[in-house]
Amino acid sequence: MKPIFEGRIVTGGFALALAILLVVTGLSFHNTRRLTEAREWVGHSYLVIVKLEKILTRLDDVESGNRGYILTGQEAYLEPFTAANANLDQDFKELKLITADNPSQQGRAAQLESKAATRRSIAAEGTRRRRDVGFEAAQQWILLGTGKREMDQIRSLIAEMEVAEQELLQQRVVEAKAETTKTIITFSAGLALSFALLLVVFYLLKRQIAERRLAEQTLIGQKRELAVSEQALSEQTSLLRLVLKSIGDGVVVSDENGKFLVFNPAAERILQAGPTDEGVDQWTQAYGIYLPDKLTPHPPQELPLARAIRGEPVDAAELFMRHAKAPHGRWLTVTATPIRNEAGVSRGGVAVFSDITERKRFEQGLQEKTVQLGNANAQLEATNSELEAFTYSVSHDLRAPLRHLAGYSQMLKKNSGSKLDESGSRYLEVILEAAERMGDLIDNLLAFSRLGRADMRKITVDPNQLLQTVIADLEDETRGRKIRWSIGELPGVKADPALLQMVFTNLLSNALKFTRNRRQSEIEVGCSGNNGELVVFVRDNGAGFDMKYADKLFGVFQRLHRADEFEGTGIGLANVRRIILRHGGKTWAESRDGEGATFYFSLPVTEEKVLV
């Protein structure tokens, strides 16, 4: 009864192996499909970013061509202006098409197209005035500043879309890597388990054959049991052939002399060749096997199956194959294990291999995309540096004529003020106030420009001490006012202490300014933890704002209230956003008009000892 019992074990083992292989095949197909989808989404995100950069470049061409023509009057400057206008409509059609899967990006794309149309019409009007009326009319049109404001909003909107795509891109790259890891684990686990089951089956089969031969010589009277054993062996052999035929990976078995004993259909399909009668020394030439450099023929005796025949196991070796029936070449991963008899003597080897060509192509494509992304980021950083330098230069050059304007106006007021009528005196006061305000704007603009170039000294700081320092510094603004402060406990963060103090100064000054018309000002500072980030908020019961203008809050010179209601230049919140972005955080705000406002920013949390 022992052979029958073992036969049932083998049959059960084959059935289990077949079930496992079917499950592994299904999981592998599912993971491969998801991996392909992830790769396509990564490419899609790159396409959106490239299209946004192209639109920004064309709009820059429109602006530079328009300004060049207005300044010089030469038609040659209109060539980039005309070319960019001719292509922008098609660019926006393509942008809408490739963002059709993302409703939020579709909305931003529609807004961007509207802003671009406005900027193009402004540029066209400037060109018309230069051509039809003259340089002075065109210059007055430019000095209105509508074109610059539209371009600032366009750049902000494009930056917002690129940030959204970058976040999607990072998420999709992570998903692609996760799917790659999952696919490799599934393949490896399936191959290892299948290989182990096959070894067990081969071992049991060999032992059963030996026992049957012994039974034929010594137990002539057990012919019926022998017939049953032979029937079981036939069933098991058929099942083995079925399993080998169903396996998606190549499986080959060789004896100790290099003669192939098993060569399943998947092996012939992957290798594009059947078993050869040549010895081990000819396998490299027969199947066109190369080292991973794809140029050096693989040493025959170092092939995984040849090493397994010598008794050396090989795990997941990568080879390259190229021959007449596979001229473009294929990448293979091979696992080989020796076959040993009961005495532990090697009697051959088993090799299981898979075609990983598509995986290698995907990995290469992912590396190329990563390099391209790095280059794009470097170009963007260079462009930002150039814009900061331009801002600093323009602001610095405006100081001299502004000093002349203010100085001569003061001299006029001092020497001839008594000779002016009421209107003239009022005009002169308006000029002086405008010059003073312009000076403040230039100072703030220069500070904003220097902020982008300043070196950061990030240490672990205590925000609570910084808050107390800022509140003490704001004593002049709080003197004589009824203010209720609610300051929560904030954990330590990695930050530049001077820059973080500037953030608190701007936000608390903002809260004090917009609550001064309240009988009692209520200002609250608190925080919450979220996924390793510290989210800090500053809440007040002041004038508030309409949320439909929230996207303008953190822009340079953006104001949501009239200057006669609340003073300011519109630089403070722009500085807050720039500082927090340099620290790797985010800024946003919530409000209702007339019901106060809450400003938020996030910073990474640290558990290190707090220093100040």
Side-chain angles (χ1 to χ4, degrees):
M1 298 299 292
K2 183 178 179 181
I4 296 176
F5 178 73
E6 290 187 351
R8 291 177 179 174
I9 293 178
V10 173
T11 302
F14 271 111
L16 180 59
L18 179 60
I20 291 173
L21 287 171
L22 290 175
V23 171
V24 170
T25 301
L27 289 175
S28 298
F29 174 78
H30 174 73
N31 289 340
T32 302
R33 184 178 62 184
R34 292 193 63 183
L35 185 61
T36 302
E37 291 175 355
R39 178 179 61 185
E40 292 174 352
W41 279 115
V42 169
H44 180 270
S45 293
Y46 279 114
L47 183 60
V48 172
I49 292 173
V50 170
K51 180 56 67 178
L52 287 171
E53 290 297 327
K54 182 178 289 186
I55 288 175
L56 181 58
T57 299
R58 294 196 193 284
L59 288 172
D60 285 338
D61 288 345
V62 168
E63 185 171 14
S64 61
N66 173 247
R67 290 182 179 275
Y69 175 71
I70 290 175
L71 292 173
T72 65
Q74 296 180 11
E75 295 290 337
Y77 281 95
L78 292 180
E79 292 180 2
F81 173 85
T82 303
N85 268 321
N87 290 297
L88 274 171
D89 292 335
Q90 181 62 32
D91 288 337
F92 279 111
K93 288 181 180 178
E94 295 175 359
L95 179 62
K96 290 180 179 179
L97 181 62
I98 61 180
T99 57
D101 61 297
N102 191 328
S104 60
Q105 289 290 67
Q106 279 272 287
R108 296 187 187 101
Q111 187 179 1
L112 177 61
E113 184 176 16
S114 174
K115 294 291 184 183
T118 302
R119 182 64 189 94
R120 292 161 66 186
S121 65
I122 292 172
E125 176 62 18
T127 301
R128 186 195 66 77
R129 293 192 178 199
R130 179 65 171 90
R131 181 184 293 115
D132 298 339
V133 182
F135 173 77
E136 294 295 331
Q139 185 183 35
Q140 291 299 319
W141 177 250
I142 291 177
L143 292 177
L144 290 177
T146 54
K148 181 180 182 302
R149 288 193 295 271
E150 290 297 328
M151 277 305 297
D152 289 343
Q153 295 175 12
I154 287 171
R155 290 189 176 95
S156 176
L157 191 55
I158 288 178
E160 182 179 349
M161 294 182 72
E162 288 182 344
V163 168
E165 286 298 329
Q166 290 287 358
E167 292 176 350
L168 284 174
L169 177 60
Q170 293 301 322
Q171 177 183 350
R172 289 164 179 170
V173 169
V174 170
E175 290 175 355
K177 291 182 178 179
E179 290 301 331
T180 300
T181 302
K182 188 185 298 181
T183 301
I184 293 173
I185 292 174
T186 301
F187 270 116
S188 300
L191 287 175
L193 188 55
S194 301
F195 178 69
L197 288 173
L198 285 174
L199 286 181
V200 172
V201 168
F202 276 120
Y203 172 76
L204 292 176
L205 283 176
K206 291 184 66 177
R207 194 170 71 174
Q208 282 188 354
I209 292 172
E211 290 177 351
R212 287 194 186 98
R213 288 176 179 174
L214 180 61
E216 287 176 352
Q217 296 174 4
T218 59
L219 301 172
I220 303 300
Q222 297 181 353
K223 292 183 179 180
R224 185 176 179 180
E225 293 183 5
L226 180 60
V228 173
S229 298
E230 289 175 348
Q231 179 64 28
L233 178 61
S234 176
E235 292 175 357
Q236 293 162 10
T237 303
S238 298
L239 185 57
L240 175 60
R241 290 173 181 169
L242 177 61
V243 170
L244 291 174
K245 184 177 181 180
S246 302
I247 292 175
D249 295 320
V251 178
V252 296
V253 181
S254 171
D255 63 15
E256 64 270 27
N257 298 317
K259 181 180 179 180
F260 288 111
L261 305 176
V262 175
F263 209 98
N264 75 334
E268 295 190 24
R269 174 178 53 80
I270 294 173
L271 297 177
Q272 290 290 293
T276 178
D277 294 331
E278 302 289 343
V280 175
D281 291 339
Q282 301 300 318
W283 286 354
T284 293
Q285 182 177 358
Y287 296 106
I289 306 299
Y290 294 84
L291 294 176
D293 64 6
K294 301 194 292 187
L295 297 174
T296 307
H298 202 295
Q301 292 300 326
E302 295 302 317
L303 289 169
L305 184 54
R307 293 173 59 185
I309 292 173
R310 297 199 303 270
E312 304 175 17
V314 178
D315 183 34
E318 290 189 0
L319 309 176
F320 185 74
M321 179 195 71
R322 181 176 58 243
H323 54 74
K325 292 185 178 180
H328 299 294
R330 291 182 179 179
W331 284 95
L332 308 178
T333 179
V334 185
T335 297
T337 302
I339 299 177
R340 304 181 187 277
N341 61 14
E342 292 82 353
V345 179
S346 178
R347 301 303 302 273
V350 178
V352 181
F353 51 90
S354 304
D355 186 343
I356 60 169
T357 304
E358 287 301 319
R359 192 189 83 192
K360 297 291 283 188
R361 288 175 181 169
F362 173 76
E363 290 174 353
Q364 182 179 0
L366 188 61
Q367 291 175 353
E368 293 174 354
K369 293 296 184 181
T370 302
V371 172
Q372 292 174 4
L373 179 61
N375 293 336
N377 287 337
Q379 293 176 1
L380 183 59
E381 290 177 0
T383 301
N384 288 337
S385 297
E386 292 176 0
L387 289 175
E388 289 178 357
F390 175 76
T391 302
Y392 182 85
S393 176
V394 170
S395 301
H396 188 273
D397 291 344
L398 287 175
R399 284 181 173 277
L402 186 62
R403 284 195 300 268
H404 292 163
L405 176 63
Y408 284 116
S409 297
Q410 289 286 0
M411 293 173 61
L412 179 62
K413 180 179 179 180
K414 179 179 180 181
N415 299 329
S416 305
S418 59
K419 300 177 182 179
L420 297 175
D421 59 13
E422 182 178 353
S423 296
S425 298
R426 181 166 54 84
Y427 295 155
L428 188 57
E429 289 296 332
V430 170
I431 292 173
L432 288 171
E433 290 176 1
E436 182 179 358
R437 177 171 174 77
M438 186 63 182
D440 292 340
L441 289 174
I442 291 174
D443 290 340
N444 288 334
L445 184 60
L446 286 172
F448 183 76
S449 175
R450 285 193 294 268
L451 185 62
R453 300 191 303 273
D455 293 334
M456 288 180 57
R457 184 178 63 92
K458 293 179 70 173
I459 61 174
T460 304
V461 299
D462 183 0
N464 303 287
Q465 293 191 16
L466 292 182
L467 274 170
Q468 296 304 320
T469 301
V470 171
I471 293 174
D473 291 342
L474 294 174
E475 183 179 357
D476 290 341
E477 297 183 38
T478 60
R479 185 178 294 111
R481 292 179 55 179
K482 189 175 182 181
I483 301 173
R484 184 162 68 91
W485 296 94
S486 298
I487 309 298
E489 187 70 20
L490 306 182
V493 293
K494 274 283 189 180
D496 184 298
L499 295 181
L500 187 57
Q501 182 171 335
M502 187 182 299
V503 169
F504 283 124
T505 298
N506 279 294
L507 292 179
L508 294 183
S509 296
N510 205 53
L512 288 170
K513 176 172 62 176
F514 287 101
T515 60
R516 68 185 176 200
N517 294 330
R518 299 293 190 228
R519 180 176 301 175
Q520 175 174 292
S521 300
E522 297 184 0
I523 301 175
E524 178 184 2
V525 181
C527 70
S528 63
N530 182 21
N531 296 328
E533 285 186 329
L534 171 66
V535 178
V536 180
F537 65 85
V538 177
R539 183 177 292 123
D540 64 64
N541 65 335
F545 59 87
D546 192 332
M547 281 297 290
K548 70 180 180 180
Y549 303 115
D551 59 326
K552 297 182 178 181
L553 276 176
F554 296 95
V556 180
F557 301 137
Q558 296 295 326
R559 294 175 48 82
L560 303 187
H561 300 84
R562 298 194 312 272
D564 58 351
E565 292 180 323
F566 298 100
E567 72 282 358
T569 60
I571 288 291
L573 291 180
N575 282 334
V576 169
R577 169 159 287 181
R578 171 166 279 197
I579 291 171
I580 297 303
L581 283 176
R582 293 191 66 191
H583 282 78
K586 296 180 293 185
T587 56
W588 67 98
E590 297 175 356
S591 177
R592 287 187 179 179
D593 197 8
E595 298 182 14
T598 305
F599 290 85
Y600 299 87
F601 66 87
S602 64
L603 290 172
V605 175
T606 178
E607 300 296 334
E608 300 177 14
K609 184 178 179 181
V610 175
L611 304 172
V612 292

